[in-house]
Amino acid sequence: MTFTGALFDFSGTLFRIESVHSWLRTVLDQRGLTVERHAFEGYVRELTSAGALPGGPPPACVPPHLTAAWAERDRSAELHRGAYTGLARQVALPDPGLYDALYARHMSPAAWRPYPDAEQVLRGLRRAGTAVGVVSNIGWDLRPVFRAHGLDDLVDAYVLSFEHGIQKPDVRLFRTACALLGREPAEVVMVGDDRHADGGAAALGCSVRFVEHLPVEERPDGLLALELTRTP
């Protein structure tokens, strides 16, 4: 059969967050703060280990007082902010205002880059008449990212976990997305980078395809390789 609908994850699938190095450097510059190179590199290592950048490397270890918030971080904006700023606060940064500034930065469209083949794949699906949805575990509104990068007109529906109080792999998110697209699950393919979260669509009857969560430069054609506009 030919897919009449396609669902995509956001982070690690269509877009990639900037590096921890760029994230911290940008915020320090915006706030007019200067730190020595050795200290800066230390902050980068500690923030990376803490998993403080949403969409970036996962925490090496979640502190006990953040375990509950971490497990359900994508169910609400408050939980998401609390979990990630809590992880960042495990690092002794030179200015207490940096924690909120770093969190704000990761929601900026400038902090995200689309994968090189994302637009080509989405436009190909549009030409083929395939309805497109974005299903994301997230604690904030990602629509401005798509608008800023000129991809919003290629997406028919957004289903964001924090807006529904449900996070993948709960089939209810995928069911909602299929309904918004007006497609039966058996006609829909879900594309993501997380075998557990995105793989939940299979329980609803969707086909599932995976890409690797790699830096933009290392995955130039991972979406194109899936050949979504062809008969599987």
Side-chain angles (χ1 to χ4, degrees):
M1 64 170 290
T2 300
F3 298 124
T4 63
L7 303 176
F8 292 87
D9 175 51
F10 168 58
S11 175
T13 300
L14 291 176
F15 283 82
R16 171 81 181 207
I17 190 68
E18 65 187 333
S19 68
V20 176
H21 187 285
S22 172
W23 179 54
L24 178 59
R25 171 56 62 200
T26 299
V27 172
L28 288 173
D29 290 347
Q30 289 173 343
R31 296 179 67 84
L33 295 173
T34 302
V35 298
E36 294 182 358
R37 179 177 179 180
H38 178 74
F40 176 81
E41 295 299 337
Y43 295 141
V44 169
R45 288 193 299 272
E46 291 180 58
L47 288 168
T48 299
S49 179
L53 173 59
C61 180
V62 178
H65 72 281
L66 292 175
T67 301
W70 177 254
E72 299 193 343
R73 64 193 179 278
D74 296 313
R75 293 184 187 274
S76 74
E78 294 75 20
L79 283 169
H80 193 271
R81 175 182 287 275
Y84 281 104
T85 57
L87 291 173
R89 285 190 172 92
Q90 304 305 300
V91 182
L93 295 176
D95 178 347
L98 283 171
Y99 304 106
D100 286 333
L102 285 168
Y103 187 82
R105 165 65 185 179
H106 104 274
M107 295 185 288
S108 167
W112 295 88
R113 291 174 61 191
Y115 280 93
D117 55 350
E119 180 174 1
Q120 183 178 348
V121 167
L122 293 178
R123 290 200 181 281
L125 291 169
R126 176 69 77 198
R127 287 193 298 270
T130 305
V132 170
V134 172
V135 184
S136 177
N137 277 353
I138 197 165
W140 51 278
D141 186 2
L142 54 72
R143 295 173 182 86
V145 176
F146 281 79
R147 288 196 292 269
H149 290 276
L151 301 181
D152 182 60
D153 65 331
L154 303 177
V155 178
D156 299 295
Y158 295 91
V159 180
L160 311 182
S161 61
F162 83 103
E163 294 181 338
H164 297 268
I166 305 166
Q167 58 189 32
K168 297 180 292 186
D170 194 312
V171 297
R172 289 176 291 176
L173 273 186
F174 304 111
R175 183 179 293 115
T176 296
C178 290
L180 289 173
L181 296 184
R183 302 292 192 266
E184 293 297 322
E187 302 172 348
V188 174
V189 60
M190 173 69 203
V191 180
D193 66 293
D194 188 316
R195 266 64 176 174
H196 174 66
D198 300 314
L204 189 64
C206 299
S207 296
V208 182
R209 305 279 182 85
F210 295 108
V211 291
E212 295 300 317
H213 190 146
L214 295 171
V216 166
E217 296 80 6
E218 296 178 24
R219 211 195 75 197
D221 56 3
L223 293 166
L224 278 171
L226 300 180
E227 300 183 333
L228 298 177
T229 58
R230 296 186 180 184
T231 301

